Amino acid sequence: MERVPGSFGTSVSFALRIFQLGFSSTSLISMCLDYDFNELSGGCNAYVILWSILHTLADTYSVLLKQLPQKPRVLSIVLAGDVVLSFLSLSGACGAASATEMLLSIDEPMCGDKRCIKYQVSALLAFLCWALFLDSAIFNLWSLYSLFH
Amino acid sequence: MERVPGSFGTSVSFALRIFQLGFSSTSLISMCLDYDFNELSGGCNAYVILWSILHTLADTYSVLLKQLPQKPRVLSIVLAGDVVLSFLSLSGACGAASATEMLLSIDEPMCGDKRCIKYQVSALLAFLCWALFLDSAIFNLWSLYSLFH
């Protein structure tokens, strides 16, 4: 059976997971380093990082050592996780973006010292992370569909 | 072919759309009436209301007059719309909730006069709307799957 590029265990999926890991950790670090800013967003990012690490390991194993089999049950779990985490990262990104915009619009002194720009970058990275999760989910859905046809 | 309850053109779907319409319009009204608060959330809600009205009409026609056929192409469009609008309503809800929490935490004078409670209710309704859209999307995905099996 031909594998759908980007689905679980392929090299495209490995690349997607690496980017997800990079974006989510940079977003978390830039948000948490100097101020206890947005707990929602931080919490979401932590789950995203855990899930990405798990998948990066699985994909590395599958790409470098031995191709993992694509079973419907495994693909369904991966798909469900991707969908849930795409919702989580979108909610974190929107929360961070909205709170930052609100702070900027009311001229809070908290926003001085380029702090708010840092938060905006963090929200942007979380949005990118969401887009990558959506890609992973679509590829895995496609792969799951092609398993039955 | 037996129809999946909740999929396009059934009475459960009609009920879901009615609730989506109710929640999204109440959310929009409570947010927009007295202050030009959150454009993101307002814009998202407007699309949600349009989509819900369209589907309520289609479902009313299907339930009361003549059962509409469930074609794969129609179901795919409905499914795609539901997924996109569930993301939109989630982002609106998170944006509104996060901005309101931020205003409450920094003791903005803008939050007096029970305005922030109104915004919180509005965000809650938008979350409920997101949950209903997710239900619709899952039912339609199930229905689309069962069309091929």
Side-chain angles (χ1 to χ4, degrees), chain B residues 123-144:
Chain B
L124 179 71
L125 287 173
F127 271 118
L128 287 175
C129 200
W130 163 66
L132 290 177
F133 266 108
L134 207 60
D135 290 345
S136 287
I138 290 169
F139 287 133
N140 281 317
L141 183 66
W142 185 5
S143 177
L144 191 64

Side-chain angles (χ1 to χ4, degrees), chain B residues 40-88:
Chain B
L40 166 78
S41 189
C44 294
N45 266 331
Y47 289 117
V48 167
I49 292 174
L50 275 179
W51 181 256
S52 300
I53 288 177
L54 202 73
H55 276 280
T56 312
L57 290 179
D59 286 339
T60 315
Y61 182 83
S62 179
V63 171
L64 295 181
L65 297 173
K66 188 183 144 200
Q67 235 185 16
L68 291 172
Q70 284 195 326
K71 288 178 188 159
R73 186 171 292 177
V74 175
L75 272 183
S76 312
I77 295 172
V78 174
L79 175 64
D82 277 341
V83 171
V84 170
L85 284 177
S86 77
F87 277 122
L88 273 182

